[in-house]
């Protein structure tokens, strides 16, 4: 993780889009995370609000059996840590991991809580984003109930891929789509055999995006 306390004009403009006045915020910074780095860890103190400015993050929870289940993805925008802010809890409710180079504005909530919660424009925007997350969670429940394992895998790959490259922790993938580790690799092998995916040193390259979308039921 890299951190700087220099806020660029673009980042200042993004803060303002959330109804916030940058000059009223204290001790803000900008952080950059690499693939696989944890931004927030479930159950551990957070105390930070993140505004994503670029990249992709994986959001998951730990089931009672210790398995990490992916809830959703965020692509180049959105808030992280707002649930803890509004619920007034210090422990994070999810684990957030960078899926590629992720950049975000970081706002310490202990120093800025009164201003954030007393700002109607910000709370309205944050509430709207929370409702979108709830709908995404509902969609994922429907997906896991009604779709085949292959469709769930293809949809997962499309959501997680960056620049047509898919890489992830495969145990997380198998838990999240509700299938065994062995069956997951059988399905990936079939996608490679059909030349939809190609295994590389970096991960799996998507060779046929249209076919992958068709397998995912997105046509």
């Amino acid at each position: 993780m890299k951190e700087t306390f220099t806020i660029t004009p673009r980042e200042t403009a993004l803060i303002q889009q959330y109804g916030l006045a940058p000059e009223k915020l204290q001790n803000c910074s900008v952080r950059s995370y690499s693939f696989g780095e944890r931004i927030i860890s479930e159950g551990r103190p957070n105390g930070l609000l993140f505004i994503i400015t670029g990249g992709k993050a994986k959001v998951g929870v730990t089931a009672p059996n210790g398995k990490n289940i992916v809830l959703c993805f965020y692509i180049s925008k959105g808030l992280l840590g707002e649930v803890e802010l509004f619920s007034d809890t210090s422990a994070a409710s999810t684990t957030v991991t960078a899926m590629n180079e992720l950049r975000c504005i970081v706002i310490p909530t202990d120093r800025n809580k009164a201003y954030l919660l007393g700002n109607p424009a910000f709370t309205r925007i944050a509430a709207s984003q929370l409702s979108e997350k709830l709908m995404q969670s509902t969609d994922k429940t429907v997906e896991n109930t009604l779709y085949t394992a292959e469709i769930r895998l293809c949809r997962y790959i499309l959501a997680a891929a960056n620049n047509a490259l898919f890489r992830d922790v495969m145990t997380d993938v198998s838990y999240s789509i509700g299938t065994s580790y062995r069956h997951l690799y059988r399905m990936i092998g079939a996608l490679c055999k059909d030349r939809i995916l190609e295994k590389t040193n970096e991960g799996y390259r998507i060779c046929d995006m249209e076919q992958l979308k068709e397998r995912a039921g997105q046509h």
Side-chain angles (χ1 to χ4, degrees):
M1 186 266 289
K2 297 179 182 178
E3 185 172 26
T4 177
F5 289 88
T6 301
I7 309 294
T8 67
R10 175 179 174 272
E11 289 154 351
T12 297
L14 182 57
I15 292 172
Q16 292 171 335
Q17 288 177 21
Y18 280 86
L20 300 171
E23 66 274 11
K24 293 185 179 181
L25 294 169
Q26 300 181 46
N27 294 84
C28 294
S29 63
V30 176
R31 291 183 182 179
S32 296
Y33 295 86
S34 300
F35 171 79
E37 282 193 289
R38 284 199 174 182
I39 303 156
I40 299 174
S41 295
E42 182 183 356
R44 299 187 63 180
N46 177 30
L48 299 171
L49 178 71
F50 300 83
I51 302 175
I52 294 179
T53 64
K56 185 177 292 188
K58 176 174 66 176
V59 181
V61 294
T62 303
N65 58 9
K67 296 178 179 180
N68 186 50
I69 301 174
V70 176
L71 296 178
C72 55
F73 297 87
Y74 299 90
I75 304 173
S76 300
K77 62 179 181 179
L79 295 172
L80 296 171
E82 78 278 29
V83 172
E84 291 76 20
L85 171 65
F86 287 109
S87 62
D88 197 25
T89 56
S90 59
S93 58
T94 58
T95 293
V96 183
T97 309
M99 294 295 291
N100 51 29
E101 187 69 24
L102 184 82
R103 186 177 174 90
C104 49
I105 301 164
V106 182
I107 303 173
T109 54
D110 57 342
R111 290 177 173 267
N112 298 285
K113 189 172 185 178
Y115 174 58
L116 292 169
L117 295 182
N119 187 310
F122 168 74
T123 55
R124 185 170 58 252
I125 294 169
S128 175
Q129 292 195 7
L130 279 171
S131 68
E132 290 178 8
K133 291 176 184 178
L134 178 60
M135 288 187 288
Q136 287 177 351
S137 179
T138 302
D139 290 342
K140 188 165 182 62
T141 299
V142 172
E143 177 182 314
N144 287 339
T145 303
L146 301 179
Y147 295 161
T148 66
E150 182 186 66
I151 291 175
R152 296 197 300 271
L153 172 60
C154 292
R155 292 171 73 92
Y156 189 106
I157 291 171
L158 287 169
N162 180 58
N163 294 326
L165 179 68
F166 168 66
R167 59 175 178 169
D168 202 342
V169 179
M170 289 303 168
T171 51
D172 288 356
V173 179
S174 65
Y175 300 152
S176 298
I177 67 172
T179 191
S180 69
Y181 193 71
R182 181 177 297 178
H183 186 49
L184 169 65
Y185 271 102
R186 279 200 295 265
M187 290 189 294
I188 289 178
L191 292 173
C192 290
K193 183 178 179 181
D194 292 340
R195 304 190 180 218
I196 295 172
L197 298 181
E198 179 186 17
K199 185 173 176 57
T200 71
N201 291 332
E202 296 178 305
Y204 290 91
R205 179 72 56 186
I206 301 174
C207 303
D208 193 331
M209 185 67 74
E210 291 305 308
Q211 275 295 311
L212 184 60
K213 288 180 179 179
E214 186 170 325
R215 296 282 182 97
Q218 294 187 2
H219 272 311

